[in-house]
Amino acid sequence: MLITCPHCHRKNRLEAARLNAAPNCGACKQALFTGLPLALDNGNFARHADSDLPLVVDFWAAWCGPCRQFAPVFEQAASKLEPRTRLAKVDTEAAPELAARFAIRSIPTLLIVHQGKEIARLNGALPAAEFMRWLQTNLPAVPA
Ligand code: ZN
C-alpha cells in the first residue's frame, strides 16, 4: 500500500503487514507514524488524501472555541487509530481553498477521505466515546 510520510510528504510503498513494525520513511528516514495529528495545508493535502490509508480531517480555526475543546479528543483518537488511519488538521484560516473545495460551512467539521474521495462527514464536535464510535462505523477496513 502507499503511505504518505508526515514529514517530507513523499509516498512510501509498504506491505500492510509492516504497518505495525514502526516503519520509517524511505526518503527522509523519519517515522511514518508519530501518534499525533498532522497539520495539512493546500500544498500537501492531496498527497495524503489519495493515500491508501484513510485520512480523518479536522477542519478547525484558532478562534473557534468548540474546535479548541475538541482538539484533545482528536489527538487521543490519532494515538489510538494509527497506523491504520491517518489523522490530520486543516486550519481553515490558513487553507481557505481546502475549506471551499470541501464546502465547509461550520467548524469543526470532520471528514473521512479515502483514496481521494470523501466517504463520511460529521458536523460539530462529539465527546470522545461517541467520536470513536462514529469513526469505527465509518472508517473503511485497512488490510492487516
Ligand atoms: Zn519522509
Side-chain angles (χ1 to χ4, degrees), residues 31-89:
L32 284 177
F33 295 98
T34 62
L36 288 171
L38 172 68
L40 292 181
D41 59 27
N42 201 37
N44 53 27
F45 184 87
R47 302 190 65 83
H48 291 269
D50 68 359
S51 152
D52 289 326
L53 274 191
L55 181 70
V56 183
V57 191
D58 175 12
F59 284 88
W60 72 288
W63 49 261
C64 158
C67 298
R68 288 197 304 271
Q69 281 169 15
F70 182 66
V73 172
F74 196 68
E75 247 177 56
Q76 196 187 38
S79 69
K80 285 187 182 152
L81 293 171
E82 283 195 354
R84 305 258 157 233
T85 306
R86 178 77 75 197
L87 276 76
K89 293 173 72 97

Side-chain angles (χ1 to χ4, degrees), residues 4-10 12 24-32:
T4 310
C5 173
H7 309 286
C8 70
H9 309 292
R10 302 235 181 101
N12 282 252
N24 286 332
C25 173
C28 74
K29 313 295 179 203
Q30 298 184 77
L32 284 177

